[in-house]
Amino acid sequence: MFAGLAAALGADPVLPVLLVLAAVGLVLALIDLACLRLPDPLVGAAALIAAVGLTGLAATSGSLGRLLGAAAGAALGFTCHVLLALLPGSRLGFGDVKLATVLGLPLGWLGGSSLTLGLVLPHLLHGVVVLALLAAGRVRRDTPLPLGPALLTGAWLAALAA
């Protein structure tokens, strides 16, 4: 994961921020897989890392436009996922909404195509996994499954494509 980001982004100054977010994201994915929860303190830490890191980067590099893109990415991530969470019968939790909001920051920083891919790809990945688990008889339609790992994987893949 870390090597992929380093190879894809090279000397891009945003790389350290993304590497730290990836480390926190790895812990979040493991927790979500184990207990179907995304703990607020860890999601909050990721938000703080992203916000402070990207703000510092914008201030030192004169990239205030990219910081606006990051804020727009977070707003779009929040809006899309809160609407999905409010749909009747939705199993999307608000931990997932918070995580999607946080992931919108670096994805928005990377640009519109990364943001779009990072918002859509997790749901496609999750859908494929759910269908495979259903076909294998490992889960039923009412089995709760974590979305956090798919959100994080989709964001990682979108960052690689940046």
Side-chain angles (χ1 to χ4, degrees), residues 3 14 30 38-39 64 72 87 105 117 122 124 126 131 152:
V14 78
L30 293 172
L38 292 165
L64 293 178
L87 287 173
L105 286 166
L117 187 60
L124 295 175
H126 188 68
L131 289 175
L152 291 155

Side-chain angles (χ1 to χ4, degrees), residues 52-118:
V52 171
L54 295 176
T55 301
L57 187 54
T60 58
S61 68
S63 309
L64 293 178
R66 290 184 91 173
L67 189 58
L68 291 175
L76 188 60
F78 173 79
T79 302
C80 291
H81 286 83
V82 82
L83 290 173
L84 288 172
L86 294 174
L87 287 173
S90 174
R91 293 189 175 197
L92 188 72
F94 277 88
D96 298 316
V97 172
K98 292 177 226 176
L99 181 58
T101 304
V102 171
L103 294 174
L105 286 166
L107 292 172
W109 176 277
L110 293 172
S113 60
S114 293
L115 177 61
T116 302
L117 187 60

